[in-house]
Amino acid sequence: MANVVVSLFSIVLLCIIAAQVRKEIYAYNEFPSSQVTNDSICKTFVEPHGYKCEEHQVITEDGYILSLQRIPAGRSVKAASKPPVLLQHGVFIDAIVWVFNSLDESLAFILADNGFDVWLSSTRGTKYSSGHVSLSPNEKAYWDWTWDDLVTHDLPASANYVYNHTGQRLHYVGHSLGTLTALGALSQQQLVNILRSAALLSPIAHVDHIPSQPARFAAEKFIAEALYWLGLREFVPKGDVAAKFLATICHSLKLNCRNVLSIFTGSNCCLNTSKVDLFLENEPQPAATKNLIHLSQMLRKGRIAMYDYGHEEQNMKHYGQPTPPLYDMANIPKEFPLFLAHGGRDMLSDVIDVQILLKDLKDHDVKKLVELFIKDYGHADFVMGINANKLVYDPVMAFMQAN
């Protein structure tokens, strides 16, 4: 009965704040910060540190205009001597996660200083990848996508652009949602001819055992579906409404939500507080509500599957079958080099779920599969930890150089 009351309370709250959310969304999209300040990742986060940086754009097959940044060399070298590396962030953030820490702690700078040709990619809908050939972020149709579309469109567009621009096969590093898109693509035999390897930090595939209470609450109470039903196709984490809604979840679950990052991701051991404050000035980024529905479906149903349209007729229309097709991790080419790094405190990439993924990969060539487990690491430590350079990035670079 208590769960029913909480669920109804959540829906009522959503109805009450719907108009205010729409107003916030309009204001956010009418004057996006990238237009107000005329900034860019290169000018704001890279070039001030003495690195060369190039701004690139790629258009996906479905019309989204994605930004790519290239750091072609480190501080002490004129040109990269090692292959290109494409870095892909997770949900609610963008490519600045790879460059906002100190030079000796940010993976993009570390890779560049070690001779790699570094490329940063930002997912559709985020600040620096908000363009489209015909749609505006103010239109609902702009937000009609899930991570299926990142597998089918965004990742191939970005990876093929780097491959065609450099003439070299590339390494891939993904975090969180950036690992799921790579695993999805590889399970369908995509990109295996142009990727040298994939390093997956906090890998997301199976999510049955996620211990993050807010994430489970949102999924099990169909919160994203309720937002979608209210007509909110874009989920904007910033603003008073989101804060009030989070406060409601925390109150319902009797959680202390002063540290929002840890509540969702796990207790991160090794973050620089001042850097986290800087990070939160730029993040979080918007996401498609439909994508959140897709992720919630995975948690509720315990399957790595394509988006479920909820009716057999709609699934038949999109997939030619009554249920969404599965992404079978066992179909990843057994000789393809994989590096999986996960942490004991990660509440989104849970230890049990990662072990299930590794079981899927039980027939993988043991010489081509590396697992790195760090007991004290939470979800954010892998991209923001002050000691990730030694614990994570050094092993990642050794893995790349071996492949």
Side-chain angles (χ1 to χ4, degrees), residues 126-143:
T126 57
K127 176 179 177 179
Y128 299 103
S129 293
S130 59
H132 191 279
V133 296
S134 62
L135 298 173
S136 161
N138 293 319
E139 299 177 75
K140 288 183 178 180
Y142 177 93
W143 298 99

Side-chain angles (χ1 to χ4, degrees), residues 294-322:
H294 191 182
L295 293 170
S296 297
Q297 290 174 352
M298 293 171 60
L299 192 152
R300 291 194 299 264
K301 298 179 181 181
R303 295 180 298 174
I304 313 171
M306 294 183 183
Y307 182 80
D308 189 344
Y309 286 87
H311 300 283
E312 289 188 359
E313 295 83 0
Q314 286 296 315
N315 286 332
M316 286 293 297
K317 178 181 177 181
H318 286 87
Y319 308 122
Q321 60 185 62

Side-chain angles (χ1 to χ4, degrees), residues 197-259:
S197 72
L200 310 177
L201 312 181
S202 296
I204 299 292
H206 298 279
V207 292
D208 311 29
H209 298 88
I210 281 182
S212 172
Q213 292 186 58
R216 297 201 73 88
F217 179 92
E220 293 169 357
K221 305 306 176 187
F222 293 82
I223 299 301
E225 284 87 346
L227 290 169
Y228 197 83
W229 174 74
L230 289 168
L232 306 178
R233 299 298 189 263
E234 175 190 5
F235 183 82
V236 183
K238 290 184 178 181
D240 293 338
V241 170
K244 291 175 183 176
F245 188 62
L246 175 62
T248 301
I249 292 178
C250 292
H251 177 74
S252 300
L253 297 175
K254 296 181 172 57
L255 296 175
N256 182 347
C257 289
R258 290 180 181 177
N259 189 335

Side-chain angles (χ1 to χ4, degrees), residues 3 6 20 69 73 87 98 122 162 171 225 233 339 364 368 380 389 398:
N3 286 341
V6 170
Q20 186 177 351
Q69 290 75 39
L87 306 182
W98 307 110
S122 291
V162 174
H171 297 289
E225 284 87 346
R233 299 298 189 263
F339 180 101
H364 210 82
K368 297 295 183 179
N389 51 358

Side-chain angles (χ1 to χ4, degrees), residues 142-315:
Y142 177 93
W143 298 99
D144 185 20
W145 53 267
T146 81
W147 64 266
D148 286 335
D149 299 285
L150 307 186
V151 170
T152 304
H153 300 301
D154 287 30
L155 177 54
S158 298
N160 277 297
Y161 183 92
V162 174
Y163 174 71
N164 291 329
H165 193 86
T166 64
Q168 297 186 66
R169 295 170 60 227
L170 55 143
H171 297 289
Y172 177 89
V173 179
H175 176 247
S176 191
L177 187 66
T179 71
L180 179 59
T181 54
L183 288 166
L186 291 170
S187 72
Q188 296 184 333
Q189 311 287 312
Q190 293 186 51
L191 305 177
V192 294
N193 293 326
I194 68 169
L195 292 184
R196 294 171 179 264
S197 72
L200 310 177
L201 312 181
S202 296
I204 299 292
H206 298 279
V207 292
D208 311 29
H209 298 88
I210 281 182
S212 172
Q213 292 186 58
R216 297 201 73 88
F217 179 92
E220 293 169 357
K221 305 306 176 187
F222 293 82
I223 299 301
E225 284 87 346
L227 290 169
Y228 197 83
W229 174 74
L230 289 168
L232 306 178
R233 299 298 189 263
E234 175 190 5
F235 183 82
V236 183
K238 290 184 178 181
D240 293 338
V241 170
K244 291 175 183 176
F245 188 62
L246 175 62
T248 301
I249 292 178
C250 292
H251 177 74
S252 300
L253 297 175
K254 296 181 172 57
L255 296 175
N256 182 347
C257 289
R258 290 180 181 177
N259 189 335
V260 177
L261 190 63
S262 293
I263 286 296
F264 279 92
T265 68
S267 179
N268 299 287
C269 71
C270 306
L271 307 185
N272 182 324
T273 304
S274 63
K275 289 293 185 179
V276 171
D277 292 340
L278 172 64
F279 179 74
L280 293 177
E281 289 178 8
N282 297 278
E283 311 298 316
Q285 295 291 315
T289 305
K290 187 177 178 181
N291 190 40
L292 302 184
I293 294 174
H294 191 182
L295 293 170
S296 297
Q297 290 174 352
M298 293 171 60
L299 192 152
R300 291 194 299 264
K301 298 179 181 181
R303 295 180 298 174
I304 313 171
M306 294 183 183
Y307 182 80
D308 189 344
Y309 286 87
H311 300 283
E312 289 188 359
E313 295 83 0
Q314 286 296 315
N315 286 332

